[in-house]
């Protein structure tokens, strides 16, 4: 099926824009970048929703952030194939490999741990796991489900948790046990380094998550209040 690669180049200083431009020249109908002169993320703007999701033309969206990468050439085909044949499913995800930047650290994996008989996850599961079972590099979802977002999405300090909460609210999320993407850990200036290192920042982050759940509780008319 046809696809497009939407790239938000957020004023990098390491020749990233030059590399992207070379691919844009080779594949102009596929590679569709936006080049920023000033970093937008530092201004509190979420590039994913403001610059990429809003211009996506496809039925489905797959996410891959700057410090992650896909490792299975059949990843998109598998996930889109399942969504096409299961209309009640809002999104799918898979196991993710954690690649440590620091030498001597072992490779670990991000996957759900339970004893269920089928790989279907519902809103109660996402709340129970605090969204931590689903990494953005593994997520493929129906674009239309996130076209009209509530305001509290922009107030959360991370994007993956509110995204998965909303998607699970619209249907179940299917899990593929295969390892199909990787994420690097311990990257300097990454979200985990900026937001959670140190007592004060860790407390602020968790207070932000509490506010997210309170807003989500109101958004869903207290339907999942007990779980929240």
């Amino acid at each position: 099926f046809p696809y497009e690669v939407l790239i938000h180049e957020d004023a990098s200083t390491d020749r990233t824009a030059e590399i992207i431009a070379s691919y844009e020249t080779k594949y102009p109908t596929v590679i569709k970048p936006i080049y920023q002169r000033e970093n937008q993320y530092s201004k509190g703007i979420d590039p994913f929703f403001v610059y990429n999701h809003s211009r996506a033309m496809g039925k489905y969206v797959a996410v891959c952030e700057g410090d992650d990468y896909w490792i299975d050439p059949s990843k998109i085909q598998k996930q889109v194939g399942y969504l096409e044949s299961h209309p009640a499913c809002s999104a799918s995800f898979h196991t993710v490999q954690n690649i440590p930047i620091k030498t001597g650290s072992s490779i670990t994996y991000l996957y759900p741990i339970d004893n269920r008989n089928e790989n279907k996850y519902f809103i109660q599961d996402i709340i129970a796991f605090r969204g931590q079972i689903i990494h953005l590099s593994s997520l493929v979802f129906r674009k239309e489900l996130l076209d009209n977002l509530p305001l509290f999405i922009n107030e959360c300090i991370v994007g993956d948790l509110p995204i998965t909460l909303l998607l699970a609210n619209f249907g179940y999320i299917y899990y593929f046990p295969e390892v199909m993407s990787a994420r690097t850990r311990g990257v300097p200036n990454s979200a985990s380094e900026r937001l959670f290192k140190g007592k004060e920042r860790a407390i602020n982050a968790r207070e932000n998550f509490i506010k997210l759940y309170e807003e989500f509780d109101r958004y869903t008319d207290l339907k999942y209040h007990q779980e929240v």
Side-chain angles (χ1 to χ4, degrees):
F1 47 79
Y3 62 91
E4 59 182 354
V5 179
L6 305 179
I7 305 173
H8 180 258
E9 207 301 294
D10 207 8
S12 300
T13 58
D14 59 357
R15 293 185 59 238
T16 295
E18 182 181 332
I19 295 170
I20 294 171
S22 68
Y23 280 94
E24 182 185 14
T25 300
K26 293 179 182 178
Y27 310 103
T29 62
V30 176
I31 308 295
K32 301 176 181 179
I34 290 177
Y35 301 98
Q36 297 288 358
R37 292 183 178 274
E38 295 183 72
N39 185 274
Q40 301 299 298
Y41 184 81
S42 62
K43 298 180 179 181
I45 297 174
D46 186 336
F48 173 73
F49 286 115
V50 176
Y51 295 110
N52 278 344
H53 185 85
S54 61
R55 64 188 174 116
M57 302 295 292
K59 183 178 178 181
Y60 303 102
V61 173
V63 186
C64 191
E65 295 185 304
D67 51 358
D68 308 322
Y69 53 95
W70 297 338
I71 57 178
D72 187 332
S74 300
K75 165 186 159 65
I76 303 299
Q77 185 68 68
K78 292 176 184 177
Q79 293 184 263
V80 168
Y82 185 89
L83 288 166
E84 278 286 276
S85 58
H86 296 82
C89 180
S90 62
S92 67
F93 71 108
H94 54 72
T95 308
V96 175
Q97 190 176 45
N98 293 313
I99 307 295
I101 291 297
K102 297 180 180 179
T103 58
S105 300
S106 59
I107 293 175
T108 58
Y109 298 89
L110 180 66
Y111 57 89
I113 303 175
D114 58 23
N115 298 315
R116 68 182 59 220
N117 295 320
E118 57 180 353
N119 299 338
K120 294 181 179 179
Y121 285 79
F122 299 88
I123 184 67
Q124 292 83 355
D125 302 304
I126 307 304
I127 294 174
F129 282 109
R130 301 187 302 280
Q132 295 178 7
I133 60 173
I134 301 178
H135 190 254
L136 279 180
S137 67
S138 73
L139 193 64
V140 175
F141 61 89
R142 302 182 190 277
K143 177 185 180 294
E144 63 179 1
L145 297 181
L146 297 186
D147 278 346
N148 298 300
L149 295 171
L151 293 177
F152 67 79
I153 285 287
N154 297 322
E155 298 173 355
C156 187
I157 58 174
V158 296
D160 50 358
L161 178 55
I163 287 175
T164 52
L165 282 172
L166 288 175
L167 290 173
N169 181 51
F170 292 122
Y172 73 88
I173 299 180
Y174 186 79
Y175 167 64
F176 286 87
E178 297 98 321
V179 181
M180 294 193 281
S181 71
R183 65 169 180 168
T184 50
R185 303 302 304 273
V187 177
N189 203 39
S190 64
S192 58
E193 293 289 322
R194 291 193 317 273
L195 301 176
F196 304 103
K197 294 297 182 181
K199 182 178 179 180
E200 183 177 353
R201 285 187 288 180
I203 291 174
N204 290 338
R206 281 152 181 79
E207 288 178 343
N208 182 269
F209 292 161
I210 291 173
K211 182 179 179 182
L212 166 67
Y213 279 111
E214 291 173 343
E215 294 287 349
F216 178 76
D217 203 17
R218 286 189 284 269
Y219 173 75
T220 53
D221 295 324
L222 308 183
K223 183 178 180 180
Y224 311 105
H225 183 68
Q226 185 62 41
E227 289 83 356
V228 169

